[in-house]
Structures are given as structure tokens and as C-alpha cells.
Amino acid sequence: MSNNTLFTPFKNKGLSLTNRIVMAPMTRQFSPNGVPTSDVAGYYRRRAEGGTGLIITEGTTVNDKVATMGATIPRFHGDDALVGWQQVVDEVHNADGKIMPQLWHVGMARVAENAPFPELPSAGPSGLFKPGKQGAEPMTVAHIESVIEAFAKAAADAKRIGMDGVEIHGAHGYLVDQFFWEGTNQRTDSWGGNMENRGRFAVEIIKAIRAATSPDFPIVLRYSQWKQQDYTARLAQTPQELEQFLHPLSEAGVDIFHCSQRRYWESEFDGSELNLAGWTKKITGKSTITVGSVGLNDDFFGAFKGEDSNTRSVDDLLERLGAGEFDLVAVGRALLQDPSWANKIKEGRTDELEQYSGKSLGSLS
């Protein structure tokens, strides 16, 4: 299968890429006190040198005391952290790469005693980690509004230091997704209830980011049906419900939807072979990123346990990309293992692709 479609240029507003390969965000926890180091900068630079078109950083937290799960997860606030991120931007740009931060608030996924400010309770729309598991009081409206402002400030700082856009982490059962998911959003005010109200938190974040940056600054939203709390959870059971979910987000200003699946080759709804990114593009007309075990046979949950995974052909991926089902392809573990994955694919050196090893999580290779 020709890989030409994977190595065609892509443009969306102020974002111009030389190919369709995106480095998926992967939490690494190598930033002491939340500050990215020169090792972090080198880690991202090597992926740019290896041919990756766009790098989306690991989740980096906005300015809220309970936004993070750990002291070595990077943050995107404070002069010291932003100086670290400036070094990352410079290294990637010097290697002719493009990069944007994934802005993150972990919500009720935070375990207070293991995180900074352990005396403070974690935050969620209804204080639920998952349906029926209460961990805190519901967020106040004032707290909700302050977190929206924190996302906007982080985006403005990203633009100021030269990032090529921002991604909002709205997937996998973290704070934004906890608002989306009816199972964790049991509010009875205008931030909960029907799907439109449950999406309001994200809509207001998107609008605030747009107001704090510029019309041509790319905004990416990552979302998922599944949650870390429940792999079978679904925000939308039908294409019609997915349209109801996506339309306000698209109208608010999302430029690219990053559609997270555990396995990209799985169809989203019965009666169609389209995956989640395919359906999202069909419904919104916006560009989409597909993600989920690209280049590997097993989904990524085993990776967290240090398990290895065998390489998988990308022929079907190339066929679907060429057919226009989605626009960009996010690669996670394969790129974590092998910084030159993109160049090896481009040059036909598939026999040189490295098999993913769980040991790669132990360092910034």
C-alpha cells in the first residue's frame, strides 16, 4: 500500500504540516515540580527530527491547585514551567517540527493524598469519580468559572511562547469529560442535565480560548466515548446523538477533533465502517485526527502495566486516510518506542520498526 497519503501536506488555519503524522499525548512524569527539563525538550526534539509532522505534548495542567495528579506531571502555568516549555518549543521548531500543548485538568481522577495540596479535595461537576462513587462535593460555579479562565490563560501563554495551537483534553474521564458524561455529571443547574448543558463547560472553555488568542490560532479538542472508569461508556449511542454532542463544540470554535478510540480500526456504529473520527468529520465537516493502537496489535492499557506489543501493518490505515475518512493520524506507543517511526514508514524501512517494549516508559528515550 502506498504511503503517499500519509506524507502529503496539511493546513488548518495557522497550522501548516508537512505530513499527516501526529504524536499522541502520553503522560511521562519527568518534570520535577511540574517544570519541563532539557531532557523533556530533547525527547520532543527527537520526534520532530524523526519526521513527525505535529507533536501534541503530554497532558500539562492548567492553573488550578487540584488540576494535577502528581508533582512530576508538567504544568502550563508559572514562570518556571513556561520557561521550560519555551525551551521545548525552540528545540522542536529548530528541528522543523510543529508542537502544541495538551491542556489538562484531571478532575476527580486525582487521588488527593498522592498529589500536591493533599489537604484539598479533588474537583468534578458532581464530585463523582464514576457513577455511584462520590469523592468530593460538586464544584461551585465560581470554581467552574475560574477553571475556564485558567484554560484561556494557558492558551494565551501557549501562543505567546510560540506554540502552534492548543489541544483541550476532553477525553478519558478527566474533568472536561466528567462534565460530558451523564454518569459523572448529575448537576441540576445549567452545567448539567441534558447533553447541551453537559457540554457547556467545554463550549465556554473553547470560546474563552478563542477570545484569549486569535481567530487563526488552532484549537483541537480530544474526546472519547470510553472512559478510564468504564471502557464501555458512550456519550452517544447513535449518529444523531453524536451530532447533538458535536454541533455546539464545533460552533464554539473547535478546528480539529481528536477522536480517541482504543483501536482505530473499529467501526463506531452498526451499519457503517466509519470509525469515530470518520463519523465526526462527516457530521461536523471539520478536520479530524484518528488515534488508537496505530502500528501496534494491542491497545495501550497493557502499556501501563509494562507489557510489550507487536507491530501491526498500517495498510488499512493508509487506505482509510486516502479515502478521506479522517485527515490526521496520531501515533502513541510506536513513537514513544521509536522516535524515527515516521521517517522509517516514509522510506519503506518497515523491517527496522522497533517492537514496543513496556520498558520504554522508564526513560525519555
Side-chain angles (χ1 to χ4, degrees):
M1 187 75 191
S2 171
N3 63 25
N4 290 344
T5 54
L6 199 56
F7 294 94
T8 55
F10 172 84
K11 183 172 178 59
N12 187 299
K13 289 194 171 178
L15 182 68
S16 295
L17 307 178
T18 58
N19 63 50
R20 305 304 179 99
I21 299 172
V22 178
M23 181 178 180
M26 292 172 282
T27 300
R28 301 308 315 277
Q29 300 196 50
F30 285 94
S31 298
N33 194 32
V35 178
T37 65
S38 58
D39 288 341
V40 173
Y43 164 77
Y44 288 119
R45 185 196 68 240
R46 285 188 287 278
R47 274 73 192 168
E49 291 172 338
T52 302
L54 171 65
I55 291 167
I56 301 178
T57 74
E58 62 206 287
T60 179
T61 57
V62 298
N63 189 11
D64 186 62
K65 287 183 177 180
V66 295
T68 190
M69 293 189 294
T72 56
I73 291 173
R75 50 186 162 85
F76 212 84
H77 59 90
D79 291 343
D80 52 352
L82 292 173
V83 167
W85 283 118
Q86 180 73 73
Q87 182 182 11
V88 173
V89 171
D90 293 343
E91 291 282 354
V92 169
H93 285 172
N94 288 340
D96 296 323
K98 300 293 175 68
I99 185 168
M100 59 177 65
Q102 185 190 66
L103 303 180
W104 193 26
H105 192 303
V106 304
M108 293 302 300
R110 170 181 176 266
V111 178
E113 57 264 32
N114 298 335
F117 305 102
E119 72 281 4
L120 297 178
S122 299
S126 299
L128 294 166
F129 170 66
K130 63 180 181 180
K133 186 175 180 181
Q134 193 80 32
E137 293 298 313
M139 291 177 74
T140 65
V141 172
H143 193 181
I144 291 171
E145 291 174 345
S146 72
V147 172
I148 292 169
E149 292 173 6
F151 271 93
K153 178 63 166 63
D157 285 334
K159 186 175 188 296
R160 176 176 58 81
I161 67 172
M163 287 281 187
D164 299 292
V166 292
E167 175 171 284
I168 302 163
H169 195 340
H172 307 164
Y174 296 110
L175 183 64
V176 175
D177 199 21
Q178 287 165 15
F179 274 87
F180 287 151
W181 187 23
E182 192 172 14
T184 48
N185 186 346
Q186 297 290 307
R187 298 179 73 95
T188 57
D189 61 5
S190 61
W191 301 95
N194 62 31
M195 185 174 282
E196 182 178 0
N197 282 2
R198 297 197 311 273
R200 183 185 169 199
F201 181 60
V203 164
E204 295 301 329
I205 288 171
I206 295 159
K207 289 179 177 178
I209 287 175
R210 179 63 69 214
T213 56
S214 65
D216 64 343
F217 190 67
I219 299 174
V220 181
L221 174 69
R222 194 180 214 207
Y223 84 97
S224 64
Q225 295 264 46
W226 65 270
K227 319 299 169 198
Q228 61 180 303
Q229 301 93 324
D230 181 356
Y231 300 159
T232 65
R234 296 174 70 80
L235 297 173
Q237 299 289 342
T238 65
Q240 292 74 27
E241 288 184 355
L242 187 62
E243 181 174 8
Q244 185 183 0
F245 169 71
L246 291 171
H247 181 72
L249 302 167
S250 181
E251 288 293 302
V254 173
D255 299 303
I256 303 172
F257 285 94
H258 190 173
C259 309
S260 179
Q261 293 181 265
R262 293 171 65 190
R263 306 170 187 89
Y264 75 84
W265 56 86
E266 294 179 344
S267 58
E268 190 58 37
F269 300 113
D270 292 340
S272 169
E273 294 184 358
L274 291 176
N275 71 4
L276 186 61
W279 272 109
T280 300
K281 183 176 180 179
K282 180 178 180 178
I283 288 169
T284 66
K286 298 288 182 77
S287 298
T288 61
I289 305 171
T290 195
V291 67
S293 302
V294 172
L296 299 174
N297 274 324
D298 307 301
D299 73 27
F300 60 84
F301 292 100
F304 296 135
K305 304 173 185 176
E307 296 175 5
D308 301 344
S309 182
N310 295 321
T311 57
R312 180 182 189 273
S313 170
V314 295
D315 283 355
D316 64 324
L317 180 80
L318 298 176
E319 184 176 348
R320 297 168 82 147
L321 179 66
E325 183 175 348
F326 37 76
D327 303 279
L328 297 162
V329 175
V331 183
R333 288 165 296 151
L335 259 176
L336 189 153
Q337 175 71 37
D338 190 347
S340 298
W341 187 89
N343 282 341
K344 288 178 181 179
I345 294 290
K346 182 179 182 180
E347 296 161 8
R349 295 185 286 136
T350 54
D351 58 326
E352 297 179 23
L353 292 173
E354 297 181 24
Q355 179 176 318
Y356 175 77
S357 168
K359 294 179 180 177
S360 63
L361 292 172
S363 66
L364 290 172
S365 62

